[in-house]
Amino acid sequence: MIKTFKKILCIICCLVIVAVVIVFGTNIYVKRTASSRLISEEDAISRLKDVDCIIVLGCLVHSDGTPSPMLKDRLTRAVALQKGGVSQKLLMSGDHGKTDYDEVSIMKRYAMDEGIASSDIFMDHAGFSTYETIYRAKEVFKAKKVVIVSQEYHLYRALYVAEKLGLEAYGVAADYRTYSGQTYRDVREIAARCKDVLTTAFHTKPTYLGDPIPVSGDGDLTNDENWNNF
């Protein structure tokens, strides 16, 4: 019995070691794959041409209708890029899966308050995950070349997914401050990177697709009264 127990324990230890190596190896692979496409705001403005849209990845909004600090910083960066001429179009992608929780309308309103025309702001109400946002940006909004805005820790995965789905994508980080709970997010992101390596490998379809709404057109087609169409 003791020998059998030791053998089982040895097998379990080996499996744990293999799992750890796979997880951390995948994490390093994703970061290295995407790191060359992380650029500064200044480089984006001076170097990038013919960008179809700037994608803003959604984040928590408060019950009073204000964006969380992380989301506010993403929006601030995206507005600066738009006004700097990187792209005329913004694609706000986030969670609007419930009538009483709407990230994207708050995101659009913020950009409009900063002087960006409503018709230049598209809303993806079904951006329930980073993967789904990127997939829908290509298939629904017909983007081919994009700039993605989020915090740096998040951009590695977004850029990895974009490359695997066939988008030319660049990331501009929106880290204007230190965010509480970042250690937890960093750990969770390692698991999310592993998940999306598998998701992209199988080219999993998102929760919703729908009719094409090219970002070259009118962003008001994505306003709330039309969102059930996609």
Side-chain angles (χ1 to χ4, degrees), residues 11-224:
I11 292 171
I12 292 173
C13 289
C14 289
L15 291 174
V16 169
I17 291 170
V18 169
V20 169
V21 169
I22 290 173
V23 167
F24 283 94
T26 300
N27 181 56
I28 292 169
Y29 166 68
V30 169
K31 292 188 71 172
R32 286 184 176 176
T33 299
S35 60
S36 64
R37 286 172 285 122
L38 270 173
I39 61 176
S40 67
E41 177 184 319
E42 294 74 20
D43 282 347
I45 291 172
S46 63
R47 290 171 41 197
L48 297 183
K49 308 295 181 185
D50 302 318
V51 175
D52 294 316
C53 66
I54 300 162
I55 300 174
V56 186
L57 299 177
C59 192
L60 176 70
V61 296
H62 298 304
S63 57
D64 64 357
T66 59
S68 60
M70 292 185 77
L71 183 56
K72 183 178 184 296
D73 289 349
R74 295 177 192 185
L75 293 165
T76 298
R77 182 73 79 192
V79 167
L81 291 169
Q82 197 268 3
K83 291 183 176 181
V86 172
S87 178
Q88 184 177 349
K89 306 293 184 177
L90 293 175
L91 175 57
M92 306 298 193
S93 184
D95 187 351
H96 188 189
K98 298 178 181 179
T99 55
D100 60 349
Y101 185 76
D102 180 1
E103 292 177 359
V104 291
S105 293
I106 290 172
M107 294 163 73
K108 178 165 184 170
R109 185 165 64 245
Y110 182 98
M112 290 176 62
D113 288 345
E114 293 295 317
I116 298 178
S118 176
S119 59
D120 287 333
I121 308 168
F122 288 74
M123 293 186 288
D124 179 5
H125 301 259
F128 302 128
S129 69
T130 303
Y131 176 84
E132 291 184 273
T133 291
I134 304 302
Y135 194 113
R136 287 172 53 81
K138 181 184 178 186
E139 300 298 333
V140 175
F141 296 97
K142 299 302 178 182
K144 296 179 180 178
K145 183 176 182 179
V146 301
V147 169
I148 305 171
V149 176
S150 186
Q151 277 67 37
E152 182 176 333
Y153 83 96
H154 189 194
L155 283 174
Y156 295 104
R157 177 161 55 100
L159 291 170
Y160 175 86
V161 170
E163 179 185 13
K164 296 304 178 183
L165 294 183
L167 278 170
E168 182 181 351
Y170 302 88
V172 179
D175 296 279
Y176 289 107
R177 65 185 99 183
T178 300
Y179 307 97
S180 62
Q182 188 57 43
T183 300
Y184 167 74
R185 282 188 291 271
D186 288 338
V187 172
R188 187 181 63 178
E189 186 66 14
I190 293 173
R193 288 168 188 160
C194 293
K195 176 183 71 70
D196 276 348
V197 166
L198 292 175
T199 306
T200 54
F202 290 102
H203 211 77
T204 306
K205 288 188 176 181
T207 308
Y208 299 108
L209 279 173
D211 297 331
I213 311 173
V215 288
S216 56
D218 185 352
D220 287 333
L221 293 174
T222 65
N223 287 349
D224 282 3

